[in-house]
Coordinates of all heavy atoms in Angstrom, one line a residue:
Chain V
M1 N 0.9 -1.2 0.0 CA 0.0 0.0 0.0 C 0.9 1.2 0.0 O 1.5 1.5 1.0 CB -0.9 -0.1 1.2 CG -1.8 1.1 1.4 SD -3.6 0.7 1.4 CE -3.9 -0.9 1.6
S2 N 1.0 1.8 -1.1 CA 1.9 2.9 -1.2 C 1.2 4.3 -0.9 O 0.1 4.4 -1.1 CB 2.5 3.0 -2.6 OG 1.5 3.3 -3.5
H3 N 2.0 5.1 -0.4 CA 1.5 6.4 -0.1 C 1.6 7.4 -1.3 O 2.6 7.6 -1.8 CB 2.4 7.0 1.1 CG 2.2 8.4 1.3 ND1 1.0 9.1 1.4 CD2 3.2 9.4 1.4 CE1 1.2 10.3 1.6 NE2 2.5 10.6 1.6
R4 N 0.5 7.8 -1.7 CA 0.5 8.8 -2.8 C 0.6 10.2 -2.3 O -0.2 10.6 -1.5 CB -0.8 8.6 -3.6 CG -0.9 7.4 -4.5 CD -2.2 7.4 -5.3 NE -3.2 6.6 -4.6 CZ -4.5 6.9 -4.8 NH1 -4.9 7.8 -5.5 NH2 -5.4 6.1 -4.1
S5 N 1.5 10.9 -2.9 CA 1.5 12.3 -2.5 C 0.4 13.1 -3.3 O 0.2 12.8 -4.5 CB 2.8 13.0 -2.9 OG 3.9 12.2 -2.3
K6 N -0.1 14.0 -2.7 CA -1.2 14.8 -3.3 C -0.5 15.6 -4.5 O 0.7 15.9 -4.4 CB -1.7 15.8 -2.3 CG -3.1 16.4 -2.7 CD -4.2 15.8 -1.9 CE -5.5 15.9 -2.8 NZ -6.4 16.9 -2.4
G7 N -1.3 15.8 -5.5 CA -0.8 16.5 -6.7 C -0.3 17.9 -6.3 O 0.1 18.2 -5.2
R9 N 2.3 19.6 -6.9 CA 3.6 19.8 -6.5 C 4.3 20.6 -7.5 O 5.5 20.9 -7.4 CB 4.4 18.5 -6.3 CG 3.9 17.7 -5.1 CD 4.4 18.3 -3.8 NE 3.5 18.0 -2.7 CZ 3.1 18.8 -1.8 NH1 3.4 20.1 -1.8 NH2 2.3 18.4 -0.9
E68 N 16.0 28.1 8.9 CA 14.9 27.4 9.6 C 15.2 25.9 9.8 O 14.7 25.3 10.7 CB 13.6 27.4 8.7 CG 13.0 28.8 8.6 CD 13.7 29.6 7.5 OE1 14.5 29.1 6.7 OE2 13.5 30.8 7.4
S69 N 16.1 25.4 9.0 CA 16.2 23.9 9.1 C 17.3 23.6 10.1 O 18.2 24.4 10.4 CB 16.6 23.3 7.8 OG 17.8 23.8 7.3
A70 N 17.2 22.4 10.7 CA 18.2 22.0 11.7 C 19.5 21.6 11.1 O 20.5 21.6 11.7 CB 17.6 20.9 12.6
S80 N 9.7 15.5 0.8 CA 9.0 14.3 1.0 C 8.5 14.1 2.4 O 7.8 13.2 2.7 CB 9.8 13.1 0.5 OG 11.0 13.2 1.3
D81 N 9.0 14.9 3.3 CA 8.6 14.7 4.7 C 7.4 15.6 5.0 O 7.2 16.7 4.5 CB 9.8 15.1 5.7 CG 10.1 16.5 5.6 OD1 10.6 17.0 4.5 OD2 10.0 17.2 6.6
W82 N 6.6 15.0 5.8 CA 5.3 15.7 6.1 C 5.5 17.0 6.8 O 4.7 18.0 6.5 CB 4.4 14.8 7.0 CG 4.0 13.5 6.3 CD1 4.3 13.2 5.0 CD2 3.3 12.4 6.9 NE1 3.8 11.9 4.8 CE2 3.2 11.4 5.9 CE3 2.8 12.2 8.2 CZ2 2.5 10.2 6.2 CZ3 2.2 11.0 8.4 CH2 2.0 10.0 7.4
G83 N 6.5 17.1 7.6 CA 6.7 18.4 8.3 C 6.9 19.5 7.3 O 6.2 20.6 7.3
S84 N 7.7 19.3 6.3 CA 8.0 20.3 5.2 C 6.7 20.5 4.4 O 6.4 21.6 4.0 CB 9.1 19.9 4.3 OG 10.3 19.7 5.1
Q85 N 6.1 19.4 4.1 CA 4.9 19.6 3.2 C 3.8 20.5 3.9 O 3.2 21.3 3.3 CB 4.2 18.2 3.0 CG 5.0 17.4 1.9 CD 4.3 16.0 1.7 OE1 3.1 15.9 1.9 NE2 5.1 15.1 1.3
V86 N 3.7 20.3 5.2 CA 2.7 21.1 5.9 C 3.1 22.5 6.0 O 2.3 23.4 5.8 CB 2.4 20.5 7.3 CG1 1.5 21.5 8.1 CG2 1.7 19.2 7.2
E87 N 4.4 22.7 6.2 CA 4.9 24.1 6.2 C 4.7 24.8 4.8 O 4.3 25.9 4.8 CB 6.4 24.1 6.5 CG 6.7 24.1 8.0 CD 8.2 23.9 8.2 OE1 9.0 24.4 7.4 OE2 8.6 23.4 9.3
E89 N 2.4 24.0 2.7 CA 1.0 24.2 2.6 C 0.6 25.5 3.3 O -0.2 26.3 2.8 CB 0.3 23.0 3.2 CG -1.2 23.0 3.0 CD -1.9 21.9 3.8 OE1 -1.2 20.8 4.0 OE2 -3.0 22.0 4.3
E90 N 1.2 25.6 4.5 CA 0.8 26.8 5.3 C 1.3 28.1 4.6 O 0.6 29.1 4.5 CB 1.5 26.7 6.6 CG 1.0 27.6 7.7 CD 1.5 27.3 9.1 OE1 2.7 27.1 9.1 OE2 0.7 27.4 10.0
M91 N 2.5 28.0 4.0 CA 3.0 29.2 3.3 C 2.1 29.5 2.1 O 1.8 30.7 1.8 CB 4.4 28.9 2.7 CG 5.5 29.2 3.6 SD 7.1 29.2 2.7 CE 7.1 30.8 2.0
R93 N -1.1 28.9 1.8 CA -2.4 29.5 2.2 C -2.2 30.9 2.7 O -3.0 31.8 2.5 CB -2.9 28.6 3.4 CG -3.5 27.3 2.9 CD -4.5 26.8 3.9 NE -4.5 25.3 3.9 CZ -5.3 24.6 3.1 NH1 -6.0 25.2 2.2 NH2 -5.3 23.3 3.1
D94 N -1.1 31.1 3.5 CA -0.8 32.5 3.9 C -0.6 33.4 2.7 O -1.1 34.5 2.7 CB 0.5 32.5 4.7 CG 0.3 31.9 6.1 OD1 -0.8 31.8 6.5 OD2 1.3 31.7 6.8
R97 N -3.9 34.3 1.3 CA -4.6 35.3 2.1 C -3.9 36.7 1.9 O -4.6 37.7 1.8 CB -4.4 34.9 3.6 CG -5.2 35.7 4.6 CD -4.7 35.4 6.0 NE -3.2 35.7 6.0 CZ -2.4 35.2 6.9 NH1 -2.8 34.4 7.8 NH2 -1.1 35.6 6.9
Q269 N 16.9 30.2 14.9 CA 16.4 29.0 14.4 C 14.9 28.8 14.6 O 14.5 28.1 15.4 CB 17.1 27.8 15.1 CG 18.5 27.6 14.7 CD 18.6 26.4 13.8 OE1 17.7 25.7 13.6 NE2 19.8 26.2 13.3
K270 N 14.2 29.6 13.9 CA 12.7 29.4 13.9 C 12.2 29.4 12.5 O 12.8 29.9 11.6 CB 12.0 30.5 14.8 CG 12.2 31.9 14.2 CD 11.5 32.9 15.1 CE 11.7 34.3 14.5 NZ 11.0 35.3 15.2
T271 N 11.1 28.7 12.3 CA 10.6 28.5 11.0 C 9.6 29.6 10.7 O 9.3 30.4 11.6 CB 9.9 27.2 10.8 OG1 9.1 27.0 12.0 CG2 10.9 26.1 10.8
E272 N 9.2 29.7 9.5 CA 8.5 30.9 9.0 C 7.3 31.3 9.9 O 6.4 30.4 10.2 CB 7.9 30.6 7.6 CG 8.8 30.4 6.5 CD 9.2 28.9 6.3 OE1 8.8 28.1 7.2 OE2 9.9 28.7 5.4
P273 N 7.4 32.5 10.4 CA 6.2 32.9 11.2 C 5.1 33.3 10.2 O 5.4 33.5 9.0 CB 6.7 34.1 11.9 CG 7.8 34.6 11.1 CD 8.4 33.5 10.3
P274 N 3.9 33.5 10.7 CA 2.8 33.9 9.7 C 3.2 35.3 9.2 O 3.6 36.1 9.9 CB 1.6 34.0 10.6 CG 2.0 33.6 12.0 CD 3.4 33.2 12.0
Chain E
T69 N 7.1 31.8 20.1 CA 8.3 32.0 19.3 C 8.0 32.1 17.8 O 8.9 32.3 17.1 CB 9.3 30.8 19.5 OG1 8.7 29.6 19.0 CG2 9.6 30.7 21.0
G70 N 6.8 31.9 17.4 CA 6.5 31.9 16.0 C 7.0 30.6 15.3 O 7.0 30.5 14.1
G71 N 7.6 29.7 16.1 CA 8.1 28.5 15.5 C 7.1 27.4 15.4 O 6.1 27.4 15.9
N72 N 7.5 26.3 14.6 CA 6.7 25.1 14.6 C 7.6 23.9 14.7 O 7.4 23.0 13.9 CB 5.7 25.1 13.5 CG 6.3 25.5 12.2 OD1 7.5 25.3 11.9 ND2 5.5 26.2 11.4
R75 N 5.5 20.8 15.8 CA 4.7 20.2 14.8 C 5.5 19.4 13.8 O 5.1 18.4 13.3 CB 3.9 21.3 14.1 CG 3.0 20.8 13.0 CD 2.2 21.9 12.3 NE 3.0 22.7 11.4 CZ 2.6 23.8 10.8 NH1 1.4 24.2 10.9 NH2 3.4 24.4 10.0
K76 N 6.7 20.0 13.5 CA 7.5 19.3 12.5 C 7.9 18.0 13.0 O 7.9 17.0 12.3 CB 8.7 20.2 12.2 CG 9.7 19.6 11.2 CD 10.7 20.6 10.7 CE 11.5 21.1 11.8 NZ 12.6 21.9 11.3
L79 N 4.9 15.5 13.0 CA 4.6 15.0 11.7 C 5.6 14.0 11.1 O 5.2 13.0 10.5 CB 4.4 16.2 10.7 CG 3.2 17.1 10.9 CD1 3.2 18.3 10.1 CD2 1.9 16.3 10.6
N80 N 6.9 14.3 11.4 CA 7.9 13.4 10.9 C 7.9 12.1 11.6 O 8.1 11.1 11.0 CB 9.2 14.1 10.9 CG 9.3 15.2 9.8 OD1 8.5 15.3 8.9 ND2 10.2 16.2 10.0
L82 N 5.1 10.8 12.9 CA 4.0 10.2 12.3 C 4.3 9.5 11.0 O 3.8 8.4 10.7 CB 2.8 11.2 12.1 CG 1.9 11.5 13.2 CD1 0.9 12.6 12.8 CD2 1.1 10.2 13.6
Q83 N 5.1 10.2 10.2 CA 5.5 9.6 8.9 C 6.3 8.4 9.0 O 6.1 7.4 8.3 CB 6.2 10.7 8.1 CG 6.5 10.3 6.7 CD 7.1 11.4 5.9 OE1 7.6 12.4 6.4 NE2 7.1 11.3 4.6
F86 N 4.1 5.6 10.0 CA 3.3 5.3 8.8 C 4.1 4.4 7.9 O 3.5 3.4 7.4 CB 2.9 6.6 8.1 CG 2.1 6.3 6.8 CD1 0.7 6.0 6.9 CD2 2.7 6.4 5.6 CE1 0.0 5.8 5.8 CE2 1.9 6.1 4.4 CZ 0.6 5.8 4.5
R89 N 4.0 0.8 9.0 CA 2.7 0.4 9.6 C 2.4 -1.1 9.4 O 1.8 -1.7 10.3 CB 1.6 1.2 9.1 CG 1.3 1.1 7.6 CD 0.5 2.2 7.1 NE 0.1 2.1 5.7 CZ 0.9 2.4 4.7 NH1 2.2 2.8 4.9 NH2 0.6 2.2 3.4
Y103 N -2.1 3.6 16.5 CA -1.5 4.5 15.5 C -2.6 5.1 14.6 O -2.6 6.4 14.4 CB -0.5 3.8 14.6 CG 0.0 4.7 13.5 CD1 0.9 5.7 13.8 CD2 -0.5 4.6 12.2 CE1 1.3 6.6 12.8 CE2 0.0 5.4 11.2 CZ 0.8 6.5 11.5 OH 1.2 7.3 10.5
I107 N -3.3 9.1 14.4 CA -3.1 10.0 13.2 C -4.4 10.6 12.8 O -4.5 11.8 12.4 CB -2.5 9.2 12.1 CG1 -2.1 10.2 10.9 CG2 -3.4 8.1 11.5 CD1 -1.4 9.5 9.8
V116 N -4.4 23.8 9.5 CA -3.6 24.8 9.0 C -4.5 25.9 8.4 O -5.2 25.6 7.5 CB -2.6 24.3 7.9 CG1 -2.0 25.4 7.1 CG2 -1.5 23.4 8.6
N117 N -4.5 27.1 9.0 CA -5.4 28.1 8.6 C -6.9 27.5 8.6 O -7.6 27.7 7.6 CB -5.1 28.6 7.2 CG -3.7 29.2 7.2 OD1 -2.9 28.7 6.4 ND2 -3.4 30.2 8.0
M119 N -7.9 24.7 8.0 CA -8.2 23.7 7.1 C -7.4 22.4 7.5 O -6.3 22.6 8.0 CB -7.7 24.1 5.7 CG -8.5 25.3 5.2 SD -10.1 24.9 4.5 CE -9.6 24.0 3.1
P120 N -7.9 21.2 7.2 CA -7.1 20.1 7.6 C -5.9 20.0 6.7 O -5.8 20.5 5.6 CB -8.1 18.9 7.2 CG -9.3 19.5 6.6 CD -9.2 20.9 6.6
M121 N -4.9 19.4 7.3 CA -3.6 19.3 6.6 C -3.6 18.4 5.4 O -3.9 17.2 5.5 CB -2.5 18.8 7.6 CG -2.2 19.8 8.7 SD -0.8 19.3 9.7 CE -1.5 18.2 10.8
V122 N -3.4 19.0 4.3 CA -3.5 18.2 3.0 C -2.5 17.0 3.0 O -2.8 16.0 2.5 CB -3.2 19.1 1.9 CG1 -2.9 18.4 0.6 CG2 -4.3 20.1 1.7
A123 N -1.3 17.2 3.7 CA -0.3 16.2 3.6 C -0.8 14.9 4.3 O -0.2 13.8 4.1 CB 1.0 16.7 4.3
L124 N -1.8 15.0 5.2 CA -2.2 13.8 5.9 C -3.4 13.1 5.2 O -3.7 12.0 5.6 CB -2.6 14.2 7.3 CG -1.5 14.6 8.3 CD1 -2.1 14.8 9.7 CD2 -0.4 13.6 8.3
H126 N -4.0 11.6 2.3 CA -3.7 10.3 1.7 C -3.3 9.3 2.7 O -3.8 8.2 2.7 CB -2.7 10.4 0.5 CG -3.4 10.9 -0.8 ND1 -4.4 10.1 -1.4 CD2 -3.3 12.0 -1.5 CE1 -4.8 10.8 -2.5 NE2 -4.1 11.9 -2.6
P127 N -2.3 9.6 3.6 CA -2.0 8.7 4.6 C -3.1 8.2 5.4 O -3.2 7.0 5.7 CB -1.0 9.4 5.4 CG -0.4 10.4 4.5 CD -1.5 10.8 3.6
D130 N -5.0 5.8 3.4 CA -4.3 4.5 3.3 C -4.6 3.7 4.5 O -4.8 2.4 4.4 CB -2.8 4.8 3.1 CG -2.5 5.4 1.7 OD1 -3.3 5.3 0.8 OD2 -1.3 5.9 1.6
M133 N -8.2 2.4 4.4 CA -8.4 1.3 3.4 C -7.8 0.0 3.9 O -8.3 -1.0 3.7 CB -7.6 1.7 2.1 CG -8.2 2.9 1.4 SD -9.8 2.6 0.6 CE -9.2 1.8 -0.9
R134 N -6.7 0.1 4.6 CA -6.1 -1.1 5.2 C -7.0 -1.8 6.1 O -7.2 -3.0 6.2 CB -4.8 -0.8 5.9 CG -4.0 -2.0 6.4 CD -3.6 -2.9 5.2 NE -2.9 -4.1 5.7 CZ -3.6 -5.2 6.0 NH1 -4.9 -5.2 6.0 NH2 -2.9 -6.3 6.4
H137 N -9.8 -3.9 4.5 CA -9.4 -5.1 3.8 C -10.0 -6.4 4.5 O -10.1 -6.4 5.7 CB -7.9 -5.3 3.7 CG -7.3 -4.6 2.5 ND1 -6.1 -5.0 2.0 CD2 -7.8 -3.6 1.8 CE1 -5.9 -4.3 0.9 NE2 -6.8 -3.4 0.7
A164 N -12.2 16.6 1.6 CA -10.8 16.7 1.2 C -10.6 15.9 -0.1 O -9.8 16.2 -1.0 CB -9.8 16.3 2.3
R168 N -11.6 9.0 -2.9 CA -11.1 8.0 -2.1 C -12.1 7.5 -1.1 O -12.1 6.3 -0.7 CB -9.8 8.4 -1.4 CG -8.6 8.5 -2.4 CD -7.3 8.3 -1.7 NE -7.0 6.9 -1.4 CZ -5.9 6.5 -0.7 NH1 -5.0 7.4 -0.3 NH2 -5.7 5.2 -0.5
E171 N -14.0 5.0 -2.9 CA -13.3 3.7 -3.0 C -13.4 2.9 -1.7 O -13.5 1.7 -1.7 CB -11.8 4.0 -3.3 CG -11.6 4.4 -4.8 CD -10.1 4.9 -4.9 OE1 -9.3 4.7 -4.1 OE2 -9.9 5.6 -6.0

Side-chain angles (χ1 to χ4, degrees):
Chain V
M1 179 117 18
S2 63
H3 162 51
R4 280 182 270 153
S5 305
K6 199 105 207 257
R9 290 289 154 221
E68 292 82 9
S69 61
S80 56
D81 65 297
W82 295 356
S84 306
Q85 282 179 29
V86 171
E87 275 174 29
E89 184 189 332
E90 196 172 41
M91 269 192 84
R93 289 201 208 274
D94 284 346
R97 188 198 57 203
Q269 285 254 354
K270 61 180 180 177
T271 46
E272 295 90 352
Chain E
T69 64
N72 43 36
R75 184 178 73 183
K76 182 167 62 174
L79 289 170
N80 291 341
L82 271 177
Q83 187 175 17
F86 177 78
R89 64 197 184 281
Y103 173 74
I107 189 178
V116 165
N117 302 119
M119 299 280 290
M121 291 190 277
V122 167
L124 291 187
H126 278 297
D130 288 344
M133 293 286 280
R134 183 65 185 86
H137 268 206
R168 286 204 78 182
E171 285 168 19

